[in-house]
Amino acid sequence: MKFEDWGLTDYQKAWRNQEEIFNAVIQAKIAQQDTSDIETLVFCEHPHVYTLGKSGSESNLLVNEEFLKSKGATFVKIDRGGDITYHGPGQIVGYPILNLENHNLSLKGYIYRMEESIIKTLEHYGIDGYRLDGATGVWLDIDTDKARKICAVGVKASRFVTMHGFALNVNTNLDYFNFINPCGFTTKGVTSMAKELGRKIDIEEVKSILRTNFFEITNL
């Protein structure tokens, strides 16, 4: 499996690039060819954008298009699971495009391991991350009224090939979450590593740790 860092990339462009790899893996799989050299873990950041999953509600976007333009943001409906979320600079977006059958993983098991790689990365920085029943992603203080999400997860799978993935808030400008009900929740907040630790974080260091943890925990 390959690793690529696309840096700051337009969301629509990244989506098209993802789909190219995704379709190549599927075609190789249909042809009963080895997919391991095509499978790719992508890291990137995006300019300000809100994405709405296929099961989401547009009512969770709380502002109109003119307001989005004034904030330099766009809105895109996409084909992953989940509701609405925000991507922007200072956030590590991960797109693992892989054939789950190559790795003896169910979709549920894959998502569990993805979340685990985030939790282990946060642990390195002294942040305790958890899963929240009934919600994907990684959360903090789940048993309190201050429960807040630090990493969103939304995956698409076809023929046991995955795309889309996770978004970990590192130095993210959290103000942009004020304009949505993040992931459809109205009573839970959003946070970042920088907010929790009270300082700006070296995002390249986080990428390196997260990449290692992802490959180890998913056995890729």
Side-chain angles (χ1 to χ4, degrees), residues 104-116:
N104 298 313
L105 286 172
S106 66
L107 182 59
K108 186 176 180 180
Y110 161 65
I111 291 173
Y112 184 93
R113 283 174 172 83
M114 181 191 295
E115 291 168 340
E116 192 65 26

Side-chain angles (χ1 to χ4, degrees), residues 125 170-171 193-194 197 199-206:
Y125 290 88
V170 182
N171 299 313
M193 294 176 67
L197 297 174
R199 60 182 172 86
K200 188 172 182 180
I201 310 301
D202 182 344
I203 196 167
E204 296 304 320
E205 179 185 76
V206 180

Side-chain angles (χ1 to χ4, degrees), residues 127-132 138-150 188 191 196:
I127 300 171
D128 295 327
Y130 301 92
R131 294 176 186 83
L132 181 66
V138 178
W139 300 74
L140 310 186
D141 292 335
I142 57 172
D143 295 324
T144 74
D145 59 2
K146 294 180 181 177
R148 55 206 182 278
K149 180 179 276 194
I150 197 166
K188 293 180 174 63
T191 191
E196 295 301 319

Side-chain angles (χ1 to χ4, degrees), residues 75-91:
F75 174 68
V76 183
K77 293 181 181 179
I78 63 173
D79 57 351
R80 61 160 169 78
D83 207 288
I84 196 166
T85 195
Y86 160 78
H87 298 307
Q91 181 188 70

Side-chain angles (χ1 to χ4, degrees), residues 36-53:
S36 57
D37 289 342
I38 310 171
E39 295 174 61
T40 309
L41 170 62
V42 174
F43 283 175
C44 63
E45 296 176 60
H46 294 306
H48 306 296
V49 60
Y50 296 93
T51 66
L52 181 70

